[in-house]
Amino acid sequence: MTHFIAAVAVPPSVSVETSTRPRVLPFSLEAIIETEPSAELGEFLSRALARFDENREVERWTAKADIIAEGRRSIDSYRDSYYDEALSLGEAGYRAARPHAREAHFQHVFVEFPKRLEWSDEEVYAHEIEEWDTIREDGARFDTDNPDARWDWWTIGGRWEENFRTHQGETIATALTALRAALSDIESGQSRRPEPVDGRPIEDPDRRLEWWFPRGLVIESGDTFEWIAQGSEGWFGMTTDDMTEADWIRALIAAAESLDENTRLVYIDFHI
């Protein structure tokens, strides 16, 4: 279960009108703000995000060699992120840096994952197909999962509604000003992260962007939509980044500069 923010670029021809209402959470006196899109905006968002729905089935055969390569990439990505950090900090330091992570995560990093670094291709393949029922004689796997999956649930604003309340529907021109300021801060070594209000240790001390800084941007491209991403999101709040924070902001700036300056952004809380 991971929540993260990504923005959807809405063309000037589509209204970004929304309405809000408070809702009291069950078993709590706390009220949250629910944001509902207008019919026009809702239709556009549904169309823009349909390709990335985890529940969308896409039938295809994946060759054995591609399955092994996919597994190797997954191992390499984990090795260069969580495992590398764990080795550099040591178990005590790594646990202290991730006070909110579940015990299952630490068990995987320190016990289970190191074994995968020694796996043969056949062991990688066996792991990758263990939950699949349909395998051809040549080792190809019949897949119905969506290779473009990014979410299984979403809402405008969501848990970051307050942080994005004044930014919903902002123009690309306005967003570019903010992105350039963020890049300047990161390049100069500043941190934009607020201190934890609950007194707990700060998680991932090397991170300098706010927790709610967008991890993705969805833009219309011809007759489809593209999801530009900082990295990938997984279970238990774990994420993997494919670029540095500065490079990610530069990628967002480059993408934003390619759009009409009157394009507006809607910030969405995604769950995967």
Side-chain angles (χ1 to χ4, degrees):
M1 294 175 60
T2 299
H3 284 263
F4 63 97
I5 281 283
V8 177
V10 181
S13 59
V14 177
S15 168
V16 294
E17 181 180 352
T18 61
S19 60
T20 59
R21 63 178 180 179
R23 180 169 72 89
V24 177
L25 296 174
F27 310 109
S28 172
L29 297 178
E30 180 184 2
I32 62 171
I33 301 297
E34 290 187 331
T35 304
E36 293 292 332
S38 64
E40 181 182 13
L41 177 60
E43 187 279 331
F44 177 82
L45 293 177
S46 295
R47 184 161 53 86
L49 299 174
R51 174 183 171 186
F52 312 105
D53 184 352
E54 185 181 50
N55 298 308
R56 182 171 71 94
E57 291 191 355
V58 180
E59 295 187 357
R60 68 193 190 285
W61 286 95
T62 301
K64 181 176 181 178
D66 292 334
I67 295 170
I68 295 171
E70 178 184 287
R72 290 291 184 198
R73 285 194 297 270
S74 178
I75 291 172
D76 290 347
S77 176
Y78 202 94
R79 178 200 62 200
D80 296 340
S81 53
Y82 297 114
Y83 188 63
D84 182 67
E85 183 182 357
L87 289 180
S88 64
L89 295 178
E91 183 169 355
Y94 186 78
R95 284 177 176 272
R98 297 184 176 277
H100 311 302
R102 299 186 180 186
E103 182 60 32
H105 173 69
F106 299 119
Q107 176 73 14
H108 181 71
V109 171
F110 292 104
V111 179
E112 300 301 329
F113 178 74
K115 302 173 185 176
R116 300 187 183 190
L117 297 174
E118 305 299 325
W119 277 359
S120 66
D121 283 353
E122 288 302 318
E123 287 174 306
V124 172
Y125 174 72
H127 174 74
E128 292 297 312
I129 66 168
E130 64 183 5
E131 295 184 2
W132 264 259
D133 296 325
T134 307
I135 305 295
R136 274 193 327 217
E137 291 184 0
D138 62 359
R141 179 184 68 199
F142 179 69
D143 289 330
T144 58
D145 62 312
N146 181 6
D148 297 321
R150 286 284 179 175
W151 61 269
D152 63 3
W153 175 88
W154 61 267
T155 187
I156 297 174
R159 63 177 53 193
W160 292 283
E161 187 277 333
E162 184 176 353
N163 302 107
F164 285 94
R165 185 177 298 163
T166 61
H167 297 286
Q168 292 293 2
E170 68 183 358
T171 64
I172 283 291
T174 298
L176 276 169
T177 298
L179 286 171
R180 289 166 181 147
L183 180 59
S184 177
D185 287 345
I186 296 302
E187 288 182 327
S188 65
Q190 298 183 52
S191 176
R192 298 168 62 91
R193 290 183 57 182
E195 292 295 322
V197 296
D198 55 12
R200 289 183 291 185
I202 197 165
E203 189 173 354
D204 193 1
D206 292 333
R207 182 184 174 95
R208 291 178 292 159
L209 288 173
E210 304 94 329
W211 284 117
W212 55 85
F213 193 86
R215 290 185 54 81
L217 174 63
V218 180
I219 63 174
E220 196 164 9
S221 177
D223 59 356
T224 188
F225 289 86
E226 298 293 337
W227 188 300
I228 302 167
Q230 182 179 10
S232 58
E233 297 75 36
W235 290 358
F236 309 126
M238 300 302 171
T239 59
T240 301
D241 295 338
D242 297 330
M243 59 188 87
T244 66
E245 292 178 322
D247 285 342
W248 170 234
I249 300 173
R250 293 188 191 100
L252 282 174
I253 290 173
E257 288 177 337
S258 71
L259 301 172
D260 185 315
E261 65 176 9
N262 294 312
T263 295
R264 295 183 178 274
L265 296 177
V266 174
Y267 295 95
I268 292 178
D269 173 2
F270 288 96
H271 176 274
I272 186 68

